[in-house]
Amino acid sequence: MAELPDWLPKWDLLSGPRYLVLADAITISVGNGVLRPGDKLPAQRDLARLLQVNVSTITRGYGEVMRRGLASASAGGGTRIIARQQEDAPRSLASVKFGGLVDLSHNFPPTAPCTGAVEAHADLTRVSGLEIRRLLSTQVDVGLPQHRAAGAEWLTRLGLPCSGTDVIVTSGGQHGLLLCIGALSRPGDTIMTEELCFYGLRSAAAMLGRPLTGVRMDREGLVPDYLDAVCSRTGAKLLFCSPTLHNPTGAVMPLQRRIDILRVCEHHGVTIVEDDVYRYLLDDAPPAFAALAPERTIYVTSVSKIIGPAWRIGYLCAPPSMRNQLGVALRASTLMSCSISAEIVSRFIQEGVVEAAEREVRKETMARQALVAKVFSPSEAARHPSGFHVWLKLGPHWTQDAFVSAAEARGIAVAPGSLFEAGLLVDNHSVRLCVNAAQSQSVLLRCLRELKSLVHERPATKLIA
Ligand SMILES: Cc1ncc(COP(=O)(O)O)c(C=O)c1O
C-alpha cells in the first residue's frame, strides 16, 4: 500500500465502521492541528484506492466530517478543512444577563456562599494597619521575600515542603499558567494536556499561539500509553495537567498512575506544569507531581478557590533552573503581583484565616455534592464528592448548545462541554455545573431537579440527525 496521509496513521489497526474511523481520524487531526483550515482532503477516488475501500465509504466519511462542521465541499474545489467551530474561551461575562439567572457556569457569582468564611475569620479593618509606604515603593518581580515565605508556609501545609526561595507570587492561578506557557515554550510549540481541560488554559495557549494537544483520559486521569504515543508523535516537551480534582471531571489520579505518568515524562524529557488549585479540598490527596519529581515540575496554585478570586494571589513553586525564565515572564506580563493583596493574603495564611476558610469551603462543597448525589446517578454525572464541579452527561438527543439555551430559558446558566475540549472531541455531549455557585443549597437543589428533568426531555428544536 502507498504511504498513508499523516492524519491517518494505523488505518489497519483501527476498528469500527470504516467511514467513522475515517471521520474520527480527520476530527482528531483537526483538533490537534495536523490538519489545518484550508487543507484539501485527497480526492475520494484516490483515497478509496489507497485504503482499498469503496468510494462510497469515503463519501460517507467526508459527509460525516462536514456534518461535524469541520470541512466543506465545493464544485470542482474538492473537500477542504474549514476553521474550527470550537470557541477558544467562554463568553465574556459582559454579555451575561443578571437578574433571576442562577449562574452555575462559573465558580463564584458576586455573592458566593463560601467567601463568607473570610468575613467570619478575618478582621478586614486591620488593612489600615498595613505599612503602605513600604509596600507601595518596593518592586520585586517574583514577590517580596516575606510574601514568598508565607506562600511556602501554605504550600508546605498542603504537602509540598518548600521554602520562600522556591516560590514566586503570581496574580492568581490563571496568571501562573500564562507564565508557564510563556517561559517554557515558544510560539508554535505543541503543549499537551488532558483531553478535557480548564478553559483558562485553552484561552491562554490560544492567545500565545501554542497549539494544545489533548491526551486521552480515563477515570484516573491521563492514560500513560496515550501520553507516550502523543510524546512520540508530536515531540512535545511540556505537559499541563490537573491530577487532583480535575476540572471539569473531578478525577483524582492515584499514586501508581502518577508514577507511571512520571516515567513517561522522564523517558521523553517532558516538563510538567501541575495545576493544583483544588488540592485543599481533599484530606488524603495523593502526593503532588511537584513532591514526587520536583526537578521536572512547576506547581501552580492560588487562594482563589478558598478566599475568593478577587485577591488575585497565587503561587508557583519551581525548580531553580526555571525560576529566572519565570521571573522574566512575570516581568513581561505584570511587572509584579499586587504587594498589597499579597500582604493581606500572607497575613491570612499566617493567622489561620486561610486554613479556617478551607475547612468551611470543604464542608459546604461536600454538603452540596451530597445533594447532587440525590438527584443524579453516577452514570448521569461524573463528579467527586469533594469537588467543585459536576460533568453532566446529556443524551445524544441534545446538542450542548441546545441544552445550554434550554437551561438558560429556565433561569439556569451552565457551561457547554465544548469549552473544555483541548482538541475537538467526538461525541462530547456534556455540560459543566459549579455546585458552589448557587446562592444556597436550596437554590442548588431546585436547579439540579430542573436540569434532571430537562436532560430527559426532547429538545424543542434542532434534533441531531
Ligand atoms: C483548574 C483551574 N486552574 C486555574 C484556575 C484559575 O484560578 P485563579 O482564579 O486563581 O486565576 C481555575 C479557576 O477556575 C481552575 O479551575
Side-chain angles (χ1 to χ4, degrees):
M1 199 190 269
E3 208 169 302
L4 292 172
D6 283 354
W7 47 267
L8 198 55
K10 305 194 182 120
W11 168 257
D12 290 336
L13 303 180
L14 300 170
S15 58
R18 300 284 86 188
Y19 85 95
L20 265 187
V21 170
L22 176 63
D24 288 352
I26 294 173
T27 304
I28 289 165
S29 301
V30 172
N32 63 24
V34 171
L35 280 172
R36 292 173 181 278
D39 284 353
K40 191 171 174 188
L41 296 174
Q44 298 192 11
R45 275 183 198 290
D46 295 347
L47 190 58
R49 204 170 310 121
L50 184 67
L51 301 179
Q52 296 168 7
V53 295
N54 284 332
V55 178
S56 61
T57 304
I58 307 297
T59 309
R60 219 173 149 199
Y62 282 7
E64 173 62 20
V65 174
M66 287 190 264
R67 193 190 68 79
R68 293 177 187 173
L70 301 176
S72 67
S74 61
T79 309
R80 286 185 189 273
I81 299 300
I82 54 180
R84 303 163 33 143
Q85 299 301 302
Q86 201 183 11
E87 292 171 55
D88 280 331
R91 63 187 172 166
S92 160
L93 292 184
S95 66
V96 170
K97 290 182 248 87
F98 288 103
L101 192 72
V102 182
D103 189 354
L104 301 183
S105 69
H106 297 88
N107 282 319
F108 285 95
T111 53
C114 297
T115 47
V118 175
E119 278 165 40
H121 295 283
D123 176 4
L124 285 176
T125 55
R126 271 178 306 146
V127 169
S128 59
L130 294 182
E131 283 184 69
I132 206 81
R133 273 170 189 268
R134 184 178 54 83
L135 290 172
L136 286 179
S137 62
T138 325
Q139 178 182 313
V140 181
D141 46 34
V142 290
L144 299 179
Q146 65 272 29
H147 299 160
R148 298 169 74 191
E153 183 181 325
W154 180 50
L155 296 187
T156 302
R157 181 165 63 68
L158 288 180
L160 189 67
C162 58
S163 68
T165 49
D166 303 319
V167 170
I168 294 174
V169 182
T170 65
S171 305
Q174 176 69 24
H175 187 214
L177 296 174
L178 191 77
L179 297 185
C180 291
I181 299 173
L184 306 173
S185 65
R186 301 184 64 77
D189 284 354
T190 296
I191 290 177
M192 299 175 287
T193 189
E194 289 101 342
E195 60 186 346
L196 292 167
C197 68
F198 167 50
Y199 49 60
L201 173 64
R202 281 190 50 205
S203 8
M207 186 177 86
L208 297 181
R210 272 66 158 179
L212 275 186
T213 284
V215 176
R216 186 73 61 84
M217 297 177 70
D218 63 15
R219 282 162 178 232
E220 298 189 342
L222 288 169
V223 180
D225 285 350
Y226 280 95
L227 178 63
D228 188 43
V230 173
C231 290
S232 302
R233 183 166 52 76
T234 62
K237 297 290 177 219
L238 197 54
L239 170 68
F240 280 67
C241 65
S242 297
T244 308
L245 290 172
H246 172 260
N247 178 2
T249 63
V252 178
M253 198 183 272
L255 177 58
Q256 186 55 50
R257 178 64 68 89
R258 290 174 196 238
I259 292 169
D260 295 343
I261 291 289
L262 273 177
R263 204 167 290 138
V264 175
C265 291
E266 269 157 30
H267 177 69
H268 291 279
V270 167
T271 298
I272 301 173
V273 177
E274 179 173 26
D275 179 350
D276 214 20
V277 294
Y278 299 110
R279 164 167 295 268
Y280 75 95
L281 289 166
L282 292 181
D283 281 332
D284 53 353
F289 282 129
L292 296 168
E295 71 295 346
R296 68 171 61 253
T297 309
I298 303 177
Y299 189 80
V300 179
T301 191
S302 81
V303 295
S304 300
K305 311 295 175 200
I306 307 164
I307 53 172
W311 297 105
R312 289 290 88 212
I313 291 297
Y315 304 97
L316 292 182
C317 184
S321 60
M322 298 177 197
R323 275 178 221 150
N324 182 54
Q325 291 153 273
L326 288 163
V328 170
L330 197 145
R331 221 167 234 283
S333 58
T334 58
L335 284 181
M336 64 186 295
S337 298
C338 172
S339 310
I340 298 174
S341 240
E343 175 77 16
I344 298 172
V345 170
S346 299
R347 292 183 186 195
F348 286 174
I349 290 171
Q350 286 156 347
E351 295 170 5
V353 172
V354 169
E355 195 169 0
E358 284 171 14
R359 279 196 298 274
E360 229 160 286
V361 180
R362 208 181 301 159
K363 194 166 150 224
E364 181 70 24
T365 306
M366 288 175 76
R368 287 170 179 241
Q369 284 287 1
L371 297 179
V372 181
K374 279 189 184 171
V375 178
F376 291 107
S377 69
S379 64
E380 291 173 314
R383 59 182 195 88
H384 189 285
S386 298
F388 268 25
H389 305 118
V390 178
W391 187 239
L392 185 61
K393 294 171 192 162
L394 312 174
H397 54 287
W398 277 110
T399 63
Q400 295 175 8
D401 289 346
F403 188 84
V404 169
S405 304
E408 203 162 306
R410 296 187 185 199
I412 308 167
V414 297
S418 57
L419 278 182
F420 303 88
E421 294 176 6
L424 286 170
L425 285 181
V426 180
D427 290 336
N428 171 21
H429 294 285
S430 311
V431 294
R432 189 196 72 171
L433 328 177
C434 300
V435 293
N436 286 337
Q439 319 302 64
S440 67
Q441 293 185 18
S442 58
V443 171
L444 177 67
L445 189 57
R446 178 174 59 70
C447 291
L448 293 171
R449 290 192 171 131
E450 193 77 57
L451 292 171
K452 167 102 174 182
S453 83
L454 196 55
V455 169
H456 292 291
E457 278 175 25
R458 297 267 138 194
T461 55
K462 233 185 179 181
L463 273 175
I464 292 185

